[in-house]
Amino acid sequence: MVASVAGLMVVCTIGFGIAALLAKDDISTGNQAARLGIDALQAGDYTAATSYLAQAEQAYDDAESALGTPWALLGRAVPVVAQNRATAVRVVADAAEVAGRATAAAQQIDPEQLRVQDGQIDLAAVEALAAPVDELEAAIVDLQATLDEPVSGWVPSAVTDRLDDLGGDVDRYARQADNLSQAVDAAPGLLGADGPRRYFVAFSTPAESRSIGGFVGNYAVLEVDRGRLALTEFGRSDDLRLAAPAEGMDIDLPLDFTRRYGAFNFRNEETGLVEAMAWKNIAITPDFPTMTGITQQMWAATFDTEIDGAILLDPFTVAQLLAYTGPQEIAGYDTSIDSTNAADFILREQYKVFDQQQETRVDQLEVLAEQAIAALLEGALPAPIDLARDLGPYAREHRLMMWTDVASEQAMFDAVGLSGRFPPSDGEADFGITLNNGGPNKMDAYLEHTITTATRLDDDLGVEVVDVTIELRNTAPSEGLPTYVTGNTAGEPEGTALLYLSAYGVNDVVDAQRDGEPLGVESDLELGLNVAAAFVELGFGETTTVTFTFEAPGPEPAAGWAVFLAPTAQRVPSGS
């Protein structure tokens, strides 16, 4: 009798094992289709994603059917086998159900509806995306939960291994799905659904460096109302300076900002007010939310009107936008400006071409920017998914940043990496370095740099330290550049790059050297970090090496220490 029961249990167990093997191929097919669907979602191809996810649903359904065949059902007679058969069936059924939900949601998403046409974005189309995008995110989260659920070791690996194989791909997309959901939820407000919005658009140039990346020489105002976008103003930082109250502006500044930058026109010693000249130094902080919070107050004090947000673009971002608009013409310049030469023209060539025509040069840059933005608003912008893919690297490099005074919208900018917070979020950097031009001149367009780090034991301190080293090279030609580029007000020889170099870290700087000699630094706290700063100058053709030594913030990461360098005229694409 006992032998008969044991034999039956063996037969039932074998039957379930055969069913699991039959389900294996269907699960593999489902995983492959789901993976292709996730790749399509990441690429913004929702038509392809719909097809692949539907295939995944069918394959998982087939796997569930295989686990329900008569020989698999025999497993219900064996207690342990019965439980594990039920688990396998449930996991595969859940995967099929979630794939079906994702298919239905993706089918309703059409990014082409979000393109700017004739200066207008269809708000109704934007708002209609909220439900399917939220459902898509919920489906992905549920699929994560299904794949992450602990499964008994008694469930055949033919089932579990193949489901585990998909888990990494789902995890990879889950964050993007959450970011997409936040962006769609925030979009109506950003586009003026609840009332008109005004955005300060800053055009920065690292030809004259600032901590944020570059000097803000030109600005625009973008107005948005119920999806209608219009560029209503375009001007220069000098226009803002001249319009500001001569007696100064009463601005609420962060204490660490005032302590570090008050002397740069942000605090008059007699009145305590921010001076009009501060408009030319708004990019002196490395933190974009700090810069824009101050800019918002300065705008209100200057014009008695409000701005609701800000956007910053540098020359490399502008060059990418010209890839959408096509070539633009500059009066007095016989070469069309396009995506391949725009950055070099803005950083270097324009100063040589219009050496004796400074007013003409600036006016023509305004024309270039206005022409490009007008083309973008008329319909040259691609679909949002393509735009996000193309501009993502510039956001990661802090060459494109966005800010708003609405907390939920700013949280979305944080999530997608557009907020320009310093130091970068998510542990992307262990140390930071910023440059501020002290000329003022445009010599930073010719600076090249190399950054290295090294961990060592400091015998005197008895602790691990990290040497953060930046090598700077002045590669400017000694002839052929106008005085506007090479001159300075500090009495240094022409062609001298004058830099206020700052290094940031969690721990104190314990030593600083320049070319192997002690370097005196100013130490302070800013943005919750220790910062050490010093003035450095380089003549034509000179190279200098500056090393800031920090106490190590912890064990060295496997990938090595990461240093965030504020954007410079030498672009090192993110991921390089």
Side-chain angles (χ1 to χ4, degrees):
M1 179 67 177
V2 173
S4 299
V5 172
L8 178 60
M9 292 178 65
V10 170
V11 170
C12 293
T13 302
I14 292 173
F16 175 53
I18 292 172
L21 289 172
L22 291 174
K24 175 186 69 173
D25 291 340
D26 292 323
I27 294 173
S28 294
T29 299
N31 286 353
Q32 182 180 11
R35 183 175 292 108
L36 291 171
I38 288 170
D39 288 343
L41 289 173
Q42 289 185 303
D45 187 347
Y46 289 90
T47 300
T50 299
S51 175
Y52 286 129
L53 290 171
Q55 293 174 37
E57 179 187 14
Q58 182 60 57
Y60 290 138
D61 276 338
D62 292 343
E64 182 185 3
S65 297
L67 292 171
T69 55
W71 44 89
L73 294 177
L74 291 173
R76 291 184 298 182
V78 182
V80 174
V81 175
Q83 295 167 6
N84 291 307
R85 175 196 165 278
T87 298
V89 170
R90 177 172 50 77
V91 169
V92 174
D94 286 349
E97 188 269 336
V98 171
R101 286 167 47 202
T103 302
Q107 200 166 21
Q108 300 177 58
I109 300 175
D110 181 8
E112 288 297 318
Q113 295 179 3
L114 306 185
R115 294 180 67 123
V116 180
Q117 297 291 345
D118 298 324
Q120 179 79 40
I121 294 179
D122 186 347
L123 268 187
V126 174
E127 291 166 345
L129 278 178
V133 166
D134 287 348
E135 171 56 19
L136 179 61
E137 181 194 10
I140 294 298
V141 170
D142 287 348
L143 184 55
Q144 265 188 309
T146 296
L147 299 176
D148 291 343
E149 183 179 344
V151 178
S152 167
W154 288 93
V155 178
S157 61
V159 175
T160 58
D161 288 354
R162 280 151 185 78
L163 290 174
D164 288 343
D165 187 42
L166 181 61
D169 294 87
V170 175
D171 292 342
R172 176 167 49 87
Y173 179 67
R175 180 174 177 179
Q176 183 175 328
D178 180 58
N179 290 346
L180 177 62
S181 180
Q182 289 189 59
V184 169
D185 290 343
L190 290 167
L191 293 171
D194 305 319
R197 294 286 189 94
R198 303 180 80 238
Y199 299 100
F200 179 82
V201 184
F203 297 93
S204 71
T205 173
E208 182 178 336
S209 60
R210 292 289 188 274
S211 292
I212 208 74
F215 169 67
V216 176
N218 294 78
Y219 78 93
V221 174
L222 178 66
E223 294 194 358
V224 187
D225 187 12
R226 297 294 305 171
R228 169 66 60 179
L229 295 85
L231 190 69
T232 60
E233 296 181 39
F234 204 102
R236 293 174 256 167
S237 58
D238 277 334
D239 299 333
L240 299 172
R241 174 180 61 84
L242 294 171
E247 67 275 13
M249 298 170 278
D250 187 8
I251 306 298
D252 182 18
L253 299 173
L255 291 178
D256 58 348
F257 181 93
T258 303
R259 196 170 56 243
R260 286 213 74 203
Y261 308 117
F264 298 92
N265 307 114
F266 283 97
R267 187 179 184 277
N268 183 287
E269 289 296 332
E270 295 181 1
T271 66
L273 300 178
V274 173
E275 298 171 338
M277 185 61 76
W279 270 117
K280 299 183 76 67
N281 286 325
I282 57 173
I284 202 167
T285 169
D287 184 63
F288 192 59
T290 298
M291 169 188 155
T292 47
I294 294 170
T295 301
Q296 185 182 45
Q297 296 182 70
M298 290 173 60
W299 182 274
T302 299
F303 297 109
D304 198 28
T305 58
E306 299 291 335
I307 57 172
D308 305 293
I311 304 167
L312 182 143
L313 308 88
D314 87 336
F316 294 96
T317 306
V318 171
Q320 176 59 46
L321 295 178
L322 290 180
Y324 309 133
T325 69
Q328 302 294 315
E329 303 299 325
I330 290 288
Y333 189 56
D334 58 7
T335 301
S336 296
I337 306 299
D338 59 26
S339 60
T340 66
N341 63 5
D344 185 69
F345 176 82
I346 296 170
L347 291 168
R348 288 171 280 270
E349 188 67 17
Q350 58 157 316
Y351 303 114
K352 293 183 284 186
V353 173
F354 298 105
D355 178 22
Q356 304 302 319
Q357 310 169 55
Q358 290 303 318
E359 289 302 313
T360 302
R361 175 187 61 77
V362 176
D363 288 342
Q364 291 303 320
L365 282 179
E366 292 179 10
V367 170
L368 171 63
E370 285 186 282
Q371 287 176 341
I373 292 176
L376 293 172
L377 297 184
E378 286 303 308
L381 280 174
I385 292 291
D386 297 325
L387 193 65
R389 182 193 61 241
D390 294 343
L391 296 182
Y394 302 95
R396 289 191 291 273
E397 297 164 26
H398 286 202
R399 298 183 184 278
L400 171 65
M401 296 177 273
M402 300 183 73
W403 171 87
T404 170
D405 59 6
V406 177
S408 59
E409 296 169 356
Q410 186 59 36
M412 183 272 293
F413 288 148
D414 283 332
V416 301
L418 272 169
S419 66
R421 290 194 185 276
F422 185 92
S425 59
D426 298 331
E428 295 171 2
D430 304 293
F431 304 96
I433 293 180
T434 66
L435 293 76
N436 273 283
N437 180 290
N441 57 31
K442 308 299 179 184
M443 288 298 297
D444 302 342
Y446 298 93
L447 280 180
E448 292 184 356
H449 58 78
T450 301
I451 294 178
T452 57
T453 63
T455 305
R456 60 183 173 84
L457 177 65
D458 187 293
D459 294 330
D460 293 332
L461 297 175
V463 298
E464 291 281 328
V465 297
V466 182
D467 294 324
V468 180
T469 299
I470 179 168
E471 182 184 81
L472 294 164
R473 301 174 292 278
N474 182 345
T475 67
S478 58
E479 297 180 353
L481 294 179
T483 301
Y484 183 78
V485 173
T486 61
N488 63 79
T489 60
E492 296 288 341
E494 280 205 16
T496 300
L498 293 161
L499 300 169
Y500 185 61
L501 189 63
S502 300
Y504 296 78
V506 174
N507 294 331
D508 289 332
V509 167
V510 297
D511 188 28
Q513 294 191 356
R514 178 182 180 184
D515 298 329
E517 298 295 329
L519 176 67
V521 297
E522 305 167 357
S523 297
D524 209 333
L525 287 171
E526 184 184 4
L527 302 167
L529 296 172
N530 290 281
V531 55
F535 284 95
V536 174
E537 70 290 328
L538 295 89
F540 280 125
E542 288 187 358
T543 296
T544 193
T545 300
V546 177
T547 297
F548 297 95
T549 302
F550 291 86
E551 286 190 32
E556 183 172 1
W561 300 108
V563 181
F564 178 83
L565 176 66
T568 71
Q570 177 192 353
R571 183 179 179 230
V572 180
S574 57
S576 297

